[in-house]
């Protein structure tokens, strides 16, 4: 192992990214002895690890979702708090992706590596904003790593939803949202826009909303949509997991306008494929400009790309004179798919 | 441009006709002149830009965007205009969004050499939705599922002025339709139409019900064949000649031969057909000539157009519409004999003295080119729209086929959670001697909402494979499919295409093995 040769002490094995001098994995795809978890999405936070290190919020998410399977032992760490693990120092700093999401800052023998996890740079009232940490190696996500992905202001997208509600006051508006993060961000953005009516939730979304509220994220009045009368839902906004929107669940809604909040909605073919009537471009991932800007700002001499459309980003990284490498990590996927 | 682009965006994703009408009405109500007029022109194909922008755009993109990144993006998005709209570098504050009217007027007057710089300026000032709308507008392909007729219907619903009144003056108006909007919003009188031909809304018929048939008084009605072409209005006035579809679309460009043959100063109602040696060709032949911006000489020769006349609305400046049908007929016959226009003839009246004789005629209507019978009150004036009790159509009995459900696709809008579009097949013998199903048609209507639920459940419970929104099902369920006719088609694997197929009955009781064969379908092809 040599500190200047990052691939000598940060390796990829069958379970994911492994830090040798620290003896832990980051977001491993199956059960390991020691795991550092960046955030609670299921492709990052898998069950069954012997020991988990994460933020308090992420641990709470894991416990809610995985129950007793979550881990055998856990340790909560606050943003910015430095820990010695084996030979390395580890810090978690906000990634701005969802509640509790963190970048993992690893220091060993004077070299600093940042594993971004999933992140975004745009404003989100439901989680701590991304914190820039200069480093020599930056390991970035690449979900939306094509120049066509330039997410606009979430407030403008929510305004589209509210305008449609005025145009079709007798219909329900059902918005497909991922349960952890997107759901709460859409609600909070609606509240910022002055929408104060109750927002109706599919059963699968209720627990996560309660969790956010227990961490002090105010979401306003929420009601369960399951069991509600058809008549009651006229003119209302209903949130549901994407799979429920185009399945039988949504038949209970009065003539629903189907919306979907996702970064993929920027591309027409993707919106059409899903039969979406009102695509809302709201993403919890960095868009192309944010990826490019963040790489620049970290000052990293080397950049590794974890998952997504790595071709374009690697091409860009090389064009800026940096070393770039695509990590073939298994098990990571995009939650909006 | 921003509001128009947003409208286009919403329309493109909205499948329901009524919802589209609402969105259009909202736009007309809230957008000032002349922008809404140019928008109306774009939606009704009244702008005809069709600028060849490919070259210009690719040069502009090369100067701004890395070609490798552009290529990767284009591959992902699948559409060049959309890719450019999405990754055009944002200029941020400062660049001002152009108005639709500004764009239209500039394109109409600008020299080709300055177009690229104008275009770049507009793209700088717009957001991705705006840029996409602009590129679609300039290349003449809006593709938002709005016909000219639907746009006019939206005008009627928004303003409360009957559609027929709008259609009557439509072809005398030009973008940006200032006088039209003034009239529709109650701020001006009905616009004066010029000296050229205008569309006169057609009189349409009702499908006759059994109880109505029983009440038909033979002496009060005239009968004629319902010809299997497309209903048209041929109009010439002030030296100009036009051919309009039933919905008021100008289709002159597709049928120059029929237009050419029209005499001066007359408005006629008839059926447009392809005729060879006095014989009506199958509808499929006429279809070859529809929706073409220009027609080749070979096509004109092999698929000659002909109008079989039903009625006459105007002779010179005289409006015949208030006259009884039988008098208009007499005027039509006298006029036709004197003018002898080529490529036309008159649809003959059929003799009958009882309902039983009518039924006999109807039952015998199997020849090519006949869709059924028309019954018209002898004393009916020519009334725009579909007035009750005047004209009846009596379509010949449909053909039916027992076909097997093979694939189901999820619907859109209200039906997005249902597998509601069905592809069905007939049996044939495969090369290896075994029986196989080959798709013969597709339909998404004819069943009730309750049946849709049952069909949806059937599809979900019998899926053997799925491809995106399409599921392949076990070949178990038989549909009795009704259709108007079937003809040969090289586009389909089975070699046949049905006209207006609908699910007539669901044969839950019938074993799939007993469904019909492709040979049965082939035998139904006429001519």
């Amino acid at each position: 192992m040599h500190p200047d040769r990052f691939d000598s002490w940060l390796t990829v094995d069958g379970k994911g990214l492994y830090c040798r001098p620290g003896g832990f994995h980051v977001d491993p795809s199956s059960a390991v002895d020691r795991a550092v978890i960046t955030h609670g999405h299921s492709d990052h936070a898998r069950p069954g690890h012997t020991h988990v290190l994460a933020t308090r919020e992420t641990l709470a998410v894991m416990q809610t979702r995985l129950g007793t399977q979550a881990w055998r032992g856990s340790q909560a760490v606050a943003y910015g708090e430095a820990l010695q693990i084996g030979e390395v120092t580890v810090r978690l700093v906000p990634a701005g992706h969802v509640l509790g999401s963190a970048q993992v800052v690893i220091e060993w023998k004077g070299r600093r590596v940042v594993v971004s996890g999933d992140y975004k740079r745009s404003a989100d009232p439901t989680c701590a904003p991304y914190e820039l940490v200069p480093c020599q190696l930056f390991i970035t996500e690449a979900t939306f790593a094509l120049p066509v992905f330039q997410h606009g202001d979430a407030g403008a997208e929510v305004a589209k939803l509210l305008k449609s509600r005025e145009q079709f006051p007798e219909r329900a508006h059902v918005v497909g949202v991922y349960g952890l993060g997107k759901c709460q961000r859409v609600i909070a953005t609606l509240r910022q826009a002055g929408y104060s009516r109750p927002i109706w939730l599919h059963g699968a979304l209720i627990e996560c909303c309660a969790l956010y509220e227990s961490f002090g994220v105010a979401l306003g009045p929420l009601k369960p949509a399951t069991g509600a009368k058809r008549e009651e839902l006229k003119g209302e906004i209903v949130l549901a997991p994407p799979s429920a929107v185009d399945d039988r669940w949504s038949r209970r809604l009065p003539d629903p306008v189907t919306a979907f909040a996702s970064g993929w909605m920027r591309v027409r073919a993707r919106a059409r494929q899903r039969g979406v009537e009102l695509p809302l471009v709201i993403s919890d991932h960095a868009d192309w400009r944010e990826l490019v800007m963040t790489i620049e700002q970290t000052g990293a001499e080397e950049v590794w790309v974890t998952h997504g459309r790595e071709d374009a980003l690697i091409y860009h990284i090389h064009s800026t004179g940096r070393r770039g490498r695509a990590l073939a990590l298994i098990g990571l996927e995009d939650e909006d798919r | 441009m921003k509001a128009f682009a947003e409208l286009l965006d919403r329309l493109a994703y909205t499948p329901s006709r009524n919802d589209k009408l609402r969105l259009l009405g909202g736009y007309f109500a809230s957008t000032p002149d002349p922008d809404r007029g140019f928008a109306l022109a774009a939606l009704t194909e009244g702008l005809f830009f069709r600028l060849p922008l490919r070259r210009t755009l690719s040069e502009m993109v090369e100067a701004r965007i890395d070609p490798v990144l552009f290529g990767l993006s284009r591959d992902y998005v699948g559409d060049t205009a959309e890719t450019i709209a999405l990754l055009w570098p944002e200029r941020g504050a400062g660049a001002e969004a152009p108005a639709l009217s500004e764009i239209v007027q500039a394109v109409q007057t600008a020299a080709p050499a300055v177009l690229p710089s104008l275009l770049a300026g507009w793209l700088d000032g717009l957001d991705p939705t705006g840029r996409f709308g602009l590129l679609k507008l300039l290349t003449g392909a809006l593709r938002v599922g709005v016909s000219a007729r639907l746009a006019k219907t939206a005008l009627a619903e928004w303003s409360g002025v009957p559609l027929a009144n709008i259609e009557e003056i439509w072809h005398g108006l030009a973008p940006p339709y200032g006088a039209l909007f003034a009239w529709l919003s109650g701020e001006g009188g009905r616009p004066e139409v010029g000296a050229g031909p205008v569309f006169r809304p057609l009189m349409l018929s009702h499908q006759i019900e059994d109880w109505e048939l029983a009440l038909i008084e033979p002496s009060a009605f005239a009968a004629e064949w319902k010809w299997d072409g497309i209903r048209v209005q041929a109009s010439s006035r002030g030296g100009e000649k036009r051919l309009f579809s039933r919905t008021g679309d100008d289709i002159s460009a597709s049928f120059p031969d029929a237009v050419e043959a029209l005499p001066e100063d007359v408005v006629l109602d008839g059926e447009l057909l392809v005729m060879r040696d006095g014989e009506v060709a199958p509808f499929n032949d006429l279809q070859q000539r529809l929706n073409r911006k220009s027609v080749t000489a070979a096509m004109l020769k092999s698929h000659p157009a002909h109008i079989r006349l039903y009625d006459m609305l105007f002779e010179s400046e005289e409006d015949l519409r208030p006259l009884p049908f039988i008098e208009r007929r007499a005027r039509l016959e006298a006029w036709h004999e004197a003018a002898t226009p080529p490529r036309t003839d008159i649809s003959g009246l059929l003799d009958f003295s009882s309902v039983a004789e009518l039924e006999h005629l109807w039952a015998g209507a199997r020849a090519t080119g006949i869709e059924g019978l028309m019954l018209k009150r002898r004393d009916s004036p020519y009334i725009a729209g579909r007035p009750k009790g005047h004209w009846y159509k009596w379509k010949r009995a449909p053909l039916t086929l027992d076909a097997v459900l093979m694939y189901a696709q999820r619907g859109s809008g209200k039906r997005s959670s249902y597998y509601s579009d069905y592809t069905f097949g007939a049996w044939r013998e495969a090369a290896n001697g075994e029986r196989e199903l080959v798709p013969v048609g597709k339909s998404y209507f004819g069943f009730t909402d309750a049946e849709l639920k049952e069909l949806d459940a059937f599809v979900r419970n019998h899926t053997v494979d799925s491809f995106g929104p399409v599921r392949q099902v076990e070949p178990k369920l038989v549909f009795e499919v009704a259709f108007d006719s079937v003809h040969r088609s090289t586009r389909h694997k089975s070699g046949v295409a049905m006209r207006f197929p609908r699910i007539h009955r669901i044969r839950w009781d019938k074993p799939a093995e007993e469904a019909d064969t492709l040979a049965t379908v082939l035998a139904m092809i006429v001519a």
Side-chain angles (χ1 to χ4, degrees), chain A residues 63-279:
Chain A
Q63 196 133 54
T64 305
R65 300 191 136 189
L66 304 172
T68 55
Q69 301 282 303
W71 54 66
R72 271 193 257 160
S74 71
Q75 182 179 357
V77 58
Y79 284 134
E81 189 186 332
L83 292 174
Q84 190 70 31
I85 306 179
E87 297 173 25
V88 302
T89 312
V90 171
R91 263 190 305 145
L92 299 184
V93 301
H97 177 55
V98 297
L99 181 71
S101 67
Q103 309 174 72
V104 186
V105 182
I106 306 169
E107 291 178 50
W108 186 55
K109 295 189 176 168
R111 305 297 274 166
R112 187 190 287 152
V113 175
V114 172
V115 184
S116 75
D118 292 341
Y119 67 100
K120 70 171 176 289
R121 305 294 299 269
S122 51
D124 181 344
T126 66
C127 65
Y130 180 93
E131 188 182 314
L132 185 81
V133 180
C135 56
Q136 288 89 43
L137 169 63
F138 185 56
I139 304 183
T140 182
E141 66 144 319
T143 308
F144 289 109
L146 276 178
V148 288
F149 292 110
Q150 301 178 20
H151 314 316
D153 170 32
E157 298 299 299
V158 156
K160 270 205 246 169
L161 174 63
L162 293 174
K163 183 178 174 192
S164 176
R165 192 180 153 267
E166 277 168 32
Q167 284 170 315
F168 299 101
E170 75 295 350
R171 301 173 71 183
H173 280 69
V174 58
V175 187
V177 289
Y178 191 71
L180 171 64
K182 192 66 60 64
C183 170
Q184 295 77 24
R185 185 176 179 205
V186 167
I187 295 173
T189 312
L190 277 164
R191 299 306 182 206
Q192 282 181 332
Y195 186 75
S196 57
R197 298 190 57 76
I199 292 170
W200 302 72
L201 300 178
H202 181 281
L205 305 178
I206 291 172
E207 235 175 4
C208 260
C209 287
L211 185 86
Y212 266 64
E213 294 206 285
S214 75
F215 279 97
V217 179
L219 299 176
L222 306 174
K223 283 188 172 182
T226 312
K229 290 198 185 72
R230 209 184 180 77
E231 201 59 28
E232 277 183 292
L233 295 173
K234 284 191 172 178
E236 300 294 344
I237 293 173
V238 182
L239 303 190
S243 58
V245 173
D246 41 44
D247 207 343
R248 283 175 270 198
W249 183 83
S250 64
R251 290 182 196 171
R252 72 195 66 214
L253 306 174
D255 189 13
V257 175
T258 54
F260 186 37
S262 161
W264 300 113
M265 291 299 101
R266 191 161 156 98
V267 174
R268 275 154 202 275
R270 295 294 292 261
R272 273 216 201 89
Q273 209 173 27
R274 298 198 75 113
V276 171
E277 280 176 82
L278 188 64

Side-chain angles (χ1 to χ4, degrees), chain A residues 40-62:
Chain A
H41 281 146
S42 55
D43 56 328
H44 294 257
R46 307 264 179 186
H49 306 309
T50 311
H51 188 271
V52 168
L53 178 79
T55 61
R56 200 158 60 90
E57 295 87 343
T58 297
L59 291 178
V61 170
M62 289 177 73

Side-chain angles (χ1 to χ4, degrees), chain B residues 274 276 285 297-304:
Chain B
V274 165
R276 295 190 193 96
D285 285 23
M299 191 60 122
L300 286 172
K301 199 156 177 247
S302 61
H303 292 66

Side-chain angles (χ1 to χ4, degrees), chain B residues 43-56:
Chain B
L43 290 165
T44 53
E45 301 206 343
L47 287 177
F48 302 114
F49 287 147
R50 300 188 213 294
L51 296 180
L53 289 180
R54 264 182 69 172
R55 194 66 190 277
T56 307

Side-chain angles (χ1 to χ4, degrees), chain B residues 174-417:
Chain B
Y177 303 110
L180 173 69
F181 279 104
W183 174 49
L184 294 178
S185 51
E187 289 154 16
R190 183 176 150 132
E192 284 299 317
V193 293
V198 294
F199 174 69
R200 309 288 177 175
L202 266 60
M203 178 163 177
L204 304 171
S205 60
H206 286 272
Q207 174 70 33
I208 197 160
E209 305 286 342
D210 287 349
W211 63 270
E212 290 172 310
L213 186 61
L215 296 177
I216 289 285
E217 176 56 55
S219 63
F221 280 85
E224 61 187 309
W225 295 122
K226 181 172 171 24
W227 299 99
D228 190 13
I230 61 167
R231 185 87 180 278
V232 289
Q233 181 171 101
S235 183
S236 76
R237 187 166 168 236
E240 276 184 61
K241 301 171 180 183
R242 298 264 183 85
L243 199 59
F244 297 114
S245 74
R246 200 176 69 124
T247 53
D249 295 329
D250 186 342
I251 54 169
S252 311
S254 304
F255 298 95
D257 44 352
V259 174
E260 172 86 8
L262 278 180
E264 294 292 319
D265 292 325
V266 68
V267 179
L268 301 163
D269 181 335
E271 196 84 13
L272 183 64
L273 305 163
V274 165
M275 287 258 278
R276 295 190 193 96
D277 308 324
E279 292 286 323
V280 178
F283 185 80
N284 194 32
D285 285 23
L286 179 61
Q287 214 154 23
Q288 311 285 324
R289 289 201 48 182
L290 287 171
N291 303 321
R292 285 173 188 271
K293 295 281 175 238
S294 65
V295 200
T296 61
M299 191 60 122
L300 286 172
K301 199 156 177 247
S302 61
H303 292 66
H306 180 98
I307 303 176
R308 185 154 280 175
L309 300 168
Y310 292 131
D311 216 321
M312 179 151 73
L313 283 63
F314 279 79
E315 186 176 6
S316 298
E317 288 297 301
E318 186 186 355
D319 188 350
L320 307 185
R321 292 177 293 178
L323 300 180
F325 171 70
I326 214 70
E327 281 185 40
R328 293 200 309 277
R329 261 305 284 207
R331 293 282 295 265
L332 173 65
E333 284 167 13
W335 169 85
H336 193 262
E337 204 172 299
T340 62
R343 294 181 183 278
T344 60
D345 62 2
I346 295 179
S347 172
L349 295 184
L350 303 166
D351 282 332
F352 72 103
S353 54
S354 67
V355 170
E357 276 181 52
L358 264 185
E359 284 184 311
H360 187 72
L361 281 169
W362 175 82
R366 270 285 162 226
T368 314
I370 292 178
E371 226 192 322
L373 271 181
M374 288 296 301
L375 298 173
K376 297 178 175 175
R377 278 199 79 88
R378 289 170 171 269
D379 59 3
S380 293
Y382 195 97
I383 307 165
R386 212 184 286 273
K388 284 216 164 83
H390 290 273
W391 286 7
Y392 294 105
K393 62 183 165 197
W394 189 9
K395 281 199 175 188
R396 70 183 189 193
L399 300 164
T400 63
L401 182 80
D402 285 343
V404 183
L405 174 63
M406 297 177 70
Y407 303 95
Q409 184 172 353
R410 267 214 305 269
S412 54
K414 257 179 229 188
R415 283 178 162 190
S416 59
S417 73

Side-chain angles (χ1 to χ4, degrees), chain B residues 118-181:
Chain B
L118 274 176
L119 181 56
W122 293 331
L123 290 170
D124 283 343
L126 290 164
D127 67 0
T129 306
R131 293 192 289 261
F132 185 70
L134 173 67
L135 294 177
K136 290 289 164 186
L137 174 75
L138 295 182
T139 50
L142 294 182
R143 300 221 175 92
V144 292
V146 172
S147 62
R149 170 80 165 189
L150 191 76
K152 289 176 219 166
T153 307
L155 287 177
E157 293 205 351
W158 156 64
S159 64
V161 172
L163 178 59
N165 297 10
I166 297 171
E167 285 181 325
E168 182 123 338
I169 56 166
W170 179 259
H171 290 278
L173 303 171
Y177 303 110
L180 173 69
F181 279 104

